[in-house]
Amino acid sequence: MNSLPPQLGLAVTWITDPADIDTLRDEWQALAERVRADIYMRPDWFAVWWDHFSVGRRFACLVARADDSLVGVLPFVLEDVWLGPFPQSVARLAGTDPHCIILQLSLQARWADKVLAEAVNHLIGKLGCVAVSFTPISDLAAHLAPLRGLADCGTGRIVLEAAAGSHVVFDLPSSFEKYLALVASKRRGQFRSRVKGLQEAFGMTAERLAAD
């Protein structure tokens, strides 16, 4: 683990041992809920993903605090790619794969510019990566504009962007009951009947994981 001194109210720490993530779990989950981060950017998902996909990868996680409050967690994996006869390190967001469209990081918007710039500068300048990938990103992602702005922040970094297809976003009501109210009464009745059948036959239960 290593740290950078506070800059303009922001203190950044880098974690290189995945086991240390456990000490952040509750704080990270609370931050993810506040900013409505994607499931791929949450601690429980990361833990399962790392258990299954960590082979051959190195770990580096940015942890950002402002006034002792957690404002950003960005886990990365470093992988070697071959450019001709030489291996080069490339960093990308941990917990994601090519099919995971990212809309919201575990990152407060107020600090996005500084945190993303620090992430890229550290991964390239300190860890020797030749590139940092944040893809695939939705056009609706809150961090898209700050990433595009990295090319203009005086670091000499180049931002490459290319369209990679389309995806669908559903704007859902704030609760499942409100969603059901929008469904045709016949379909709503069928759903509730089937749920009741599952509960009676198999003892199915439901647990609410996050507040609206």
Side-chain angles (χ1 to χ4, degrees):
M1 177 186 296
N2 52 65
S3 304
L4 289 180
Q7 299 180 7
L8 300 177
L10 183 70
V12 173
T13 299
W14 282 89
I15 294 174
T16 56
D17 185 348
D20 291 337
I21 288 293
D22 289 342
T23 64
L24 283 176
R25 186 200 174 282
D26 292 343
E27 275 189 295
W28 183 1
Q29 180 63 26
L31 169 64
E33 290 181 6
R34 287 199 305 273
V35 301
R36 297 183 178 274
D38 296 343
I39 188 174
Y40 314 115
M41 296 289 104
R42 298 187 179 225
D44 290 342
W45 178 278
F46 167 78
V48 174
W49 187 91
W50 183 258
D51 282 346
H52 290 84
F53 299 105
S54 61
V55 176
R57 291 165 165 167
R58 303 180 301 283
F59 178 71
C61 180
L62 180 152
V63 179
R65 296 182 182 277
D67 298 325
D68 294 326
S69 177
L70 190 67
V71 298
V73 178
L74 298 180
F76 293 91
V77 289
L78 281 61
E79 306 171 303
D80 288 336
V81 297
W82 290 86
L83 299 177
F86 305 105
Q88 300 288 345
S89 292
V90 173
R92 68 180 183 85
L93 289 171
T96 66
D97 291 297
H99 63 279
C100 300
I101 307 297
I102 303 301
L103 285 93
Q104 179 61 52
L105 300 172
S106 287
L107 176 63
Q108 286 188 2
R110 175 186 175 187
W111 301 102
D113 291 327
K114 293 183 176 64
V115 169
L116 291 170
E118 163 58 22
V120 171
N121 290 338
H122 183 85
L123 291 165
I124 294 178
K126 298 293 180 63
L127 299 187
C129 295
V130 296
V132 181
S133 173
F134 290 87
T135 57
I137 304 173
S138 170
D139 280 346
L140 302 177
H143 59 291
L144 183 57
L147 284 177
R148 287 170 170 164
L150 289 177
D152 302 321
C153 67
T155 64
R157 308 304 185 203
I158 298 173
V159 176
L160 299 179
E161 180 181 351
S166 60
H167 66 99
V168 177
V169 175
F170 294 95
D171 292 320
L172 297 174
S174 59
S175 71
F176 188 65
E177 286 302 319
K178 290 180 180 179
Y179 165 74
L180 280 181
L182 300 176
V183 177
S185 59
K186 181 179 179 180
R187 292 293 185 186
R188 189 162 57 246
Q190 290 173 337
F191 170 80
R192 287 177 170 152
S193 176
R194 289 169 182 169
V195 168
K196 183 178 179 180
L198 289 170
Q199 291 171 337
E200 293 175 348
F202 301 104
M204 184 186 76
T205 61
E207 180 180 356
R208 186 177 180 183
L209 299 178
D212 294 338

